[in-house]
Amino acid sequence: MIYLVEHFYSVQGEGKLVGTPSLFFRFGGCNMRCQGFGCVEVAKDGAEVIGCDTVYAVNKEHFSSNWVAISDAHELLNILELYELPNAVDIVLTGGEPLIYANDIVFVEFLEKLHKRGHQITFETNGSLWVDFEKYPIYKEAVFALSVKLQNSQEPLAKRVRGDVIFNIASNAKDSFFKFSVDKDSINLALEDEIETITQYAKDIKVYCMPVGGSKSEVEKNTEPLIEFCKMKGYNFSDRLHIRIWDENKGV
């Protein structure tokens, strides 16, 4: 069963395609928790849940009321009709972790129909889950933003960094790029070595670093040190445009 948490039409706020008008589908479920990012979301039952800035799409236990079960690809396709969209607008699949549904037949059908309609498909993924490009060729037509988690996520190394998965995606996708979440306290020698180690699995794709933060103030706190880090290492700085503009609001 696929779970959809929200959908919204906005502009891409991060990475290589920042500023691109995009229709976002946020799916529920993830293979990580990333409590190290320290973003706090208060559930309807009053529980304070710690994780990434979209923890409501990760933690089904406390946010199940936001999760809608999808059993037919047309339920997702019909969402496009709710918006006044330019022809073949970019479709961004995010989460949570959208690739937990990579082998689901409904999910694959949705992707195939999007492609037939002329839409570019972009996955925002943590880059730790295997994609079968041969069995499902539709994935060869997609763009992958590889937001591989660093040690500041507090996830185990063996879980968050899968060199075989990274290489597989970078070798088969239409396009791909790295997108790392970096906070002020993590800009040190250990972090530099970690990013360099990860990017060795796909040496030819671009590297973007964006400031950690679920609010405008947090993003701003981490921005200037990160820019200096990017200048030193030759990485691309990526703002988090949606947070910079709309702060902690969702669906933007």
Side-chain angles (χ1 to χ4, degrees), residues 37-159:
F37 291 144
C39 297
V40 178
E41 187 85 16
V42 179
K44 289 183 178 180
D45 61 7
E48 291 189 352
V49 185
I50 301 174
C52 66
D53 60 336
T54 56
V55 68
Y56 58 93
V58 174
N59 188 300
K60 188 171 186 289
E61 177 184 358
H62 293 290
F63 299 97
S64 60
S65 61
N66 298 332
W67 294 37
V68 177
I70 302 293
S71 58
D72 189 305
H74 288 91
E75 294 179 64
L76 296 172
L77 290 167
N78 288 340
I79 290 172
L80 276 69
E81 309 307 321
L82 301 177
Y83 298 90
E84 294 183 6
L85 300 172
N87 185 45
V89 70
D90 285 10
I91 305 294
V92 179
L93 309 179
T94 187
E97 173 50 61
L99 290 180
I100 65 173
Y101 303 115
N103 299 315
D104 188 291
I105 191 63
V106 171
F107 192 71
V108 172
E109 182 184 355
F110 173 52
L111 301 178
E112 291 172 341
K113 290 186 181 301
L114 287 175
H115 180 63
K116 286 181 180 179
R117 293 186 181 191
H119 295 283
Q120 174 171 284
I121 301 169
T122 299
F123 283 96
E124 296 187 338
T125 173
N126 60 37
S128 69
L129 298 178
W130 187 262
V131 178
D132 193 334
F133 288 91
E134 297 308 314
K135 185 175 181 179
Y136 305 113
I138 184 60
Y139 289 108
K140 295 182 180 181
E141 305 296 334
V143 176
F144 287 75
L146 294 168
S147 187
V148 181
K149 302 311 173 199
L150 302 170
Q151 56 187 311
N152 58 9
S153 68
Q154 295 183 6
E155 290 288 341
L157 176 62
K159 184 178 182 179

Side-chain angles (χ1 to χ4, degrees), residues 186-228:
S186 293
I187 300 175
N188 52 40
L189 184 59
L191 175 59
E192 293 175 31
D193 289 346
E194 185 175 24
I195 290 179
E196 290 175 1
T197 298
I198 293 170
T199 56
Q200 289 301 303
Y201 294 114
K203 296 181 180 180
D204 297 329
I205 67 176
K206 290 189 175 182
V207 178
Y208 293 80
C209 294
M210 59 186 187
V212 168
S215 68
K216 182 178 180 180
S217 61
E218 291 173 337
V219 166
E220 290 178 344
K221 179 183 69 174
N222 291 314
T223 290
E224 190 171 343
L226 180 56
I227 289 176
E228 293 304 314

